[in-house]
Amino acid sequence: GAGVSQSPSNKVTEKGKDVELRCDPISGHTALYWYRQSLGQGLEFLIYFQGNSAPDKSGLPSDRFSAERTGGSVSTLTIQRTQQEDSAVYLCASSWGGASHEQYFGPGTRLTVT
Amino acid sequence: KNQVEQSPQSLIILEGKNCTLQCNYTVSPFSNLRWYKQDTGRGPVSLTIMTFSENTKSNGRYTATLDADTKQSSLHITASQLSDSASYICVVSARSNFGNEKLTFGTGTRLTIIP
């Protein structure tokens, strides 16, 4: 079946603009994660959705970052008033359950803030 | 603070040779340890997942070991192929007091196989 998909694959934006990144998880997966991978750094956890539970937002670096998951499926990560340090690859992953289950990653969105 | 350290940062070996990648962690309470392979421009793909009671697990030419006492893991690649060129990421899961889990990612080892 189809894997996790993300769009756009690349996004270049000017500092101060808002951006939206989209993630389509594997159908039926109840858990969805957003991560950020900066150059030379490990993956950084941002936010975790599990079913109808309140999302775990503990990894969001600032209030400029927000995410939502509509209908328990598609998720959108929004970054407001982008800064150059937001430049990174943003990865989405989904799984059948919580973090003890295998996560399947999308190809990522490379965000460049100029 | 939960941390995962990987070594070496990068490694270049000849096709057909074996290699071993290392992962040390200070994550607690430990739940499981995973190795991922990430090709350039792609998302990570799971290779192995090991719980506390498992000290070795294989996936084809990849063999992961876990020593929960010393908090060390290794990923051994046998008879390397050009397609093994990728970053290998060690991820350790800690179980929280609320029953859910948090993942801590290492920065990865960049492996390059040359013909």
Side-chain angles (χ1 to χ4, degrees):
Chain A
V4 177
S5 61
Q6 292 185 243
S7 62
S9 54
N10 281 284
K11 176 72 177 178
V12 180
T13 189
E14 292 181 352
K15 177 182 173 181
K17 300 287 188 183
D18 298 350
V19 295
E20 285 190 353
L21 313 180
R22 177 186 168 106
C23 172
D24 284 84
I26 292 173
S27 178
H29 278 190
T30 59
L32 186 147
Y33 305 76
W34 283 99
Y35 297 93
R36 178 169 69 176
Q37 188 172 34
S38 302
L39 188 64
Q41 302 294 316
L43 272 72
E44 175 188 5
F45 165 75
L46 296 178
I47 188 169
Y48 161 50
F49 296 90
Q50 173 58 55
N52 296 321
S53 302
D56 177 353
K57 304 180 181 180
S58 60
L60 294 179
S62 77
D63 58 9
R64 297 186 295 104
F65 288 73
S66 63
E68 62 178 22
R69 189 178 185 192
T70 55
S73 181
V74 173
S75 177
T76 302
L77 176 70
T78 301
I79 308 173
Q80 296 178 309
R81 304 181 303 281
T82 52
Q83 304 294 314
Q84 287 186 331
E85 60 263 28
D86 298 335
S87 296
V89 175
Y90 289 83
L91 288 161
C92 173
S94 69
S95 70
W96 289 110
S100 59
H101 293 77
E102 182 172 349
Q103 296 183 28
Y104 296 83
F105 284 80
T109 293
R110 179 174 296 280
L111 174 66
T112 303
V113 182
T114 60
Chain B
K1 180 181 177 182
N2 289 339
Q3 288 186 315
V4 176
E5 295 183 352
Q6 292 187 242
S7 62
Q9 280 190 318
S10 61
L11 181 63
I12 301 173
I13 64 171
L14 290 173
E15 183 180 11
K17 297 295 186 182
N18 304 335
C19 66
T20 301
L21 314 180
Q22 300 291 341
C23 173
N24 296 338
Y25 62 92
T26 56
V27 174
S28 66
F30 177 85
S31 178
N32 60 71
L33 184 146
R34 311 145 188 245
W35 282 94
Y36 284 90
K37 177 187 179 187
Q38 185 175 21
D39 292 310
T40 301
R42 308 289 294 273
V45 174
S46 179
L47 295 175
T48 64
I49 301 177
M50 289 186 292
T51 59
F52 184 88
S53 60
E54 298 174 293
N55 53 25
T56 186
K57 184 169 270 191
S58 292
N59 178 0
R61 293 179 297 101
Y62 300 101
T63 299
T65 65
L66 173 65
D67 185 334
D69 291 330
T70 61
K71 298 186 177 180
Q72 295 180 326
S73 176
S74 66
L75 180 69
H76 186 73
I77 304 174
T78 303
S80 60
Q81 300 177 359
L82 296 178
S83 59
D84 292 333
S85 295
S87 288
Y88 292 82
I89 303 171
C90 176
V91 183
V92 184
S93 176
R95 189 176 299 281
S96 77
N97 292 334
F98 302 100
N100 59 357
E101 298 188 19
K102 287 289 178 69
L103 302 180
T104 303
F105 290 76
T107 55
T109 292
R110 179 69 203 174
L111 176 65
T112 303
I113 311 297
I114 56 176

